[in-house]
Amino acid sequence: MTVWLDGEWLGDGAAVCPADDRGLLLGDGLFETLRFSGGRLLRQAAHEQRLRASCAALELACPLDRIALSAIVGEMAARAGLRQAAIRLTLTAGSGQRGLARPAMGQPSCLITAAPLPEAPASISLANVSLRRSTGSVAARHKTLSYIDNAMARREAVRAGAGMALLLDTDGHLSGTDCANLFWVRGGRLFTPALECAVLPGTVRAAILAGMDVEQGRFTPDALADAQSVFVTNALMGAVAVTAIDGAPAGRAQPVPDAVLALLD
């Protein structure tokens, strides 16, 4: 694996994390996952806007002020021989003294890696899980390094025989899945949970909202019961149809609407 770490190109196994790194010890940091295809990063502006907003919320210096992301990723893909890649930018708060208080002066650490782009599944099944997303949680609204809730939700879903977890917020409203935003078509209209339901503002979600008429709101799980189509979205897989929820058929086995797919091409 080719790695870019704080301005240096490193080989497989050469990148190291200091023992006092706050991202390692406390999950104090952020990440972005981007899709590289056709010689460019898809929806790069949206990813950069979200990263800047999250850096401001977490009071971290944004690495985009000192690096040229496109140039780094382009060189990384060339070094790795990848025409399509899953790019991960990981930003940690860097080294700091022991304890919760972050040093007033500190330089965040930025790590960028590339991996072969995984093939998107033709469809996916969801399972309701016991974990609930807090509407007041920073980790629900930003892609923080504190991702344990998502990992635990996925484990519970897999044990239930599903591929992904369906999550509600603490008020019982639909929120999304462990790694994707949720959409459905009902009565000819397109719906998605509002950001107030502990929803991560996904870049594919934003593209759909910008290009189509979508009703956002607080919805209970029964909103999916008679949906004509249910699908999930994220940066790597685009939009994928949901064919089952808790083992029962979902979305009348309908594919992702053509109008949505056309927006994402």
Side-chain angles (χ1 to χ4, degrees), residues 42-264:
L42 274 60
R43 291 175 282 278
Q44 181 178 349
H47 281 284
E48 291 189 351
Q49 181 180 18
R50 182 172 67 183
L51 180 60
R52 289 185 184 279
S54 293
C55 283
L58 270 66
E59 300 181 7
L60 289 169
C62 183
L64 300 175
D65 295 330
R66 64 182 190 273
I67 67 172
L69 183 59
S70 290
I72 293 171
V73 170
E75 182 174 348
M76 178 171 287
R79 286 174 178 244
L82 295 172
R83 296 177 60 86
Q84 295 196 91
I87 305 297
R88 172 161 167 146
L89 183 155
T90 303
L91 180 70
T92 85
S95 296
Q97 75 256 11
R98 188 181 181 282
L100 294 179
R102 189 189 291 166
M105 296 296 291
Q107 180 63 50
S109 181
C110 183
L111 170 71
I112 302 176
T113 60
L117 183 70
E119 184 176 354
S123 63
I124 199 160
S125 61
L126 306 181
N128 278 282
V129 296
S130 57
L131 186 143
R132 296 289 181 265
R133 279 183 174 153
S134 169
T135 55
S137 170
V138 172
R141 302 191 306 273
H142 302 280
K143 296 198 76 166
T144 75
L145 300 183
S146 305
Y147 225 57
I148 189 61
D149 282 355
N150 304 65
M152 294 299 292
R154 173 64 63 89
R155 290 172 196 159
E156 185 176 343
V158 169
R159 285 196 296 268
M164 194 177 286
L166 178 63
L167 295 169
L168 308 181
D169 67 17
T170 48
D171 295 322
H173 298 119
L174 290 168
S175 179
T177 78
D178 51 55
C179 72
N181 291 119
L182 176 69
F183 289 85
W184 63 96
V185 178
R186 186 178 184 187
R189 289 185 55 80
L190 185 58
F191 296 86
T192 195
L195 293 180
E196 291 76 17
C197 300
V199 172
L200 179 79
T203 57
V204 175
R205 178 185 186 274
I208 295 173
L209 292 180
M212 299 182 67
D213 182 18
V214 183
E215 184 171 336
Q216 304 178 67
R218 293 180 170 90
F219 305 100
T220 53
D222 59 6
L224 303 177
D226 59 351
Q228 286 110 24
S229 174
V230 182
F231 61 96
V232 294
T233 64
N234 70 20
L236 294 186
M237 66 183 184
V240 174
V242 173
T243 53
I245 300 176
D246 292 333
R252 302 182 191 173
Q254 293 297 307
V256 178
D258 289 340
V260 171
L261 295 177
L263 280 174
L264 306 182

